[in-house]
Amino acid sequence: MSDIAVVVGELREEWGTTDRMIAKLSSAQWNLETPSPGWRIKDQIAHLATSDAAALAAAKFAGLATPPSPAEVTGKALDPSVLGDQSARLTARMPQPVVVGLWRATRRKLAETLIELPSDRRIPWFGRSLTASAMASARIMETWAHTVDISDALGLGIDATDRLRHTAYMAVENRDGSFRAHDQDPPDEEVRLELTLPSGVEWIAGPAHTSSRVLGTALDFCLVAARRRHRDDTDLQAVGLAADRWLQVVQAYAGAAGSGRQPRALESKADIFMPDNERRADEQQQ
């Protein structure tokens, strides 16, 4: 994507947004159920803590004089069955300050390790490898996705910044993997993604010559790609069969797709997408 220091700086901003959201949660709020079935807010933060710890371990492996292969790491330290629900559930049993403290310490070390990693090293990650920049983008994507769940649980607006381009980038990189996660063959035709970032800047990926395109806002696309909203609850447009097929399965992360979200009747999309402070100002003007 760009210089590692810049991307890690944005990762720190993403972490900071989430941290401010949970910093003063009461015990009752800490135990609130989120839209992800069976996941409370404390489970979401515990998952971020354990997945950041896994990313840190993988980055340290990459820093060795003779790094292990992705298959070797996945088969040992980063067994997905341990990293996923099981490790998050165990971590979530700890007191709230301990979980948050663990996450803060781990992410601080992860940021330092990613910046210091030699530019020619790739990080082993579940059967594949990532550059330090791509790993930072992946962490931005996952942090934002889980923060959407927390925002929904607390009734807050979704934080939408130009950092969404990292989630969009991860979705583009995982296009073929999205189809395979649904036991489908990827279409031969390429898809062009034309999104508008919150700042109004256009973010484009894919060849100009293709007739298949996905059009809309980065927020809508990233909510669908993170599987936090059903595409029917957005204004995304798919032009062409390949684009339509992709929107049916798109996900910004590798691995199993999960059940995703069902379409829901929204009283107002603006109410979902508008940050709390902007919503209050809008209500006062009315």
Side-chain angles (χ1 to χ4, degrees):
M1 288 276 296
S2 59
D3 180 75
I4 183 59
V6 174
V7 184
V8 169
E10 292 188 292
L11 175 56
R12 285 174 167 143
E13 291 173 2
E14 199 68 53
W15 283 330
T17 295
T18 310
D19 207 331
R20 288 188 293 275
M21 185 178 296
I22 66 164
K24 297 182 179 179
L25 292 184
S26 66
S27 177
Q29 291 173 315
W30 185 244
N31 285 281
L32 278 176
E33 294 285 343
T34 70
S36 294
W39 284 65
R40 295 158 293 183
I41 288 179
K42 68 178 184 180
D43 299 310
Q44 301 277 357
I45 298 301
H47 178 75
L48 289 178
T50 54
S51 54
D52 279 342
L56 173 58
K60 286 183 174 180
F61 276 124
L64 296 175
T66 306
S69 70
E72 290 174 323
V73 174
T74 300
K76 297 176 183 178
L78 300 183
D79 184 342
S81 66
V82 176
L83 173 60
D85 287 1
Q86 184 178 353
S87 59
R89 304 290 187 194
L90 290 172
T91 303
R93 293 179 183 178
M94 296 187 290
Q96 179 177 345
V98 175
V99 176
V100 175
L102 174 64
W103 180 45
R104 289 172 178 166
T106 301
R107 74 191 199 214
R108 181 170 57 250
K109 187 61 178 176
L110 173 59
E112 295 169 354
T113 302
L114 290 176
I115 289 177
E116 295 170 358
L117 196 66
S119 59
D120 63 339
R121 298 296 175 84
R122 295 184 68 88
I123 302 169
W125 194 243
F126 297 120
R128 57 181 179 147
S129 63
L130 301 174
T131 63
S133 179
M135 176 60 84
S137 289
R139 301 315 306 147
I140 291 173
M141 175 273 297
E142 186 163 14
T143 302
W144 180 78
H146 288 285
T147 303
V148 169
D149 286 340
I150 296 170
S151 299
D152 286 345
L154 295 172
L156 302 176
I158 294 174
D159 184 66
T161 72
D162 283 8
R163 295 191 297 274
L164 288 171
R165 71 187 187 281
H166 294 280
T167 298
Y169 164 75
M170 296 306 297
V172 171
E173 288 293 294
N174 192 49
R175 174 179 173 268
D176 289 355
S178 296
F179 285 97
R180 288 192 291 268
H182 289 81
D183 298 321
Q184 298 180 27
D185 293 326
D188 293 331
E189 186 177 1
E190 296 183 88
V191 176
R192 184 175 172 87
L193 194 57
E194 299 181 358
L195 304 176
T196 304
L197 294 169
S199 66
V201 172
E202 294 298 310
W203 191 88
I204 298 173
H209 62 75
T210 182
S211 59
S212 287
R213 305 185 177 220
V214 173
L215 312 173
T217 67
L219 178 57
D220 273 355
F221 179 77
C222 291
L223 284 168
V224 174
R227 302 184 69 77
R228 262 56 186 182
R229 294 290 186 273
H230 192 279
R231 63 178 288 193
D232 290 351
D233 292 327
T234 72
D235 294 321
L236 289 175
Q237 299 178 48
V239 180
L241 179 60
D244 185 72
R245 283 190 59 200
W246 187 30
L247 280 186
Q248 292 177 27
V249 300
V250 63
Q251 61 185 65
Y253 53 88
S259 59
R261 302 289 162 83
Q262 296 301 310
R264 62 181 190 173
L266 300 179
E267 293 182 3
S268 169
K269 289 181 182 176
D271 189 59
I272 293 293
F273 297 157
M274 189 182 296
D276 232 22
N277 58 339
E278 293 182 20
R279 187 184 304 118
R280 286 194 296 269
D282 184 68
E283 290 171 349
Q284 290 173 359
Q285 290 177 3
Q286 295 176 3

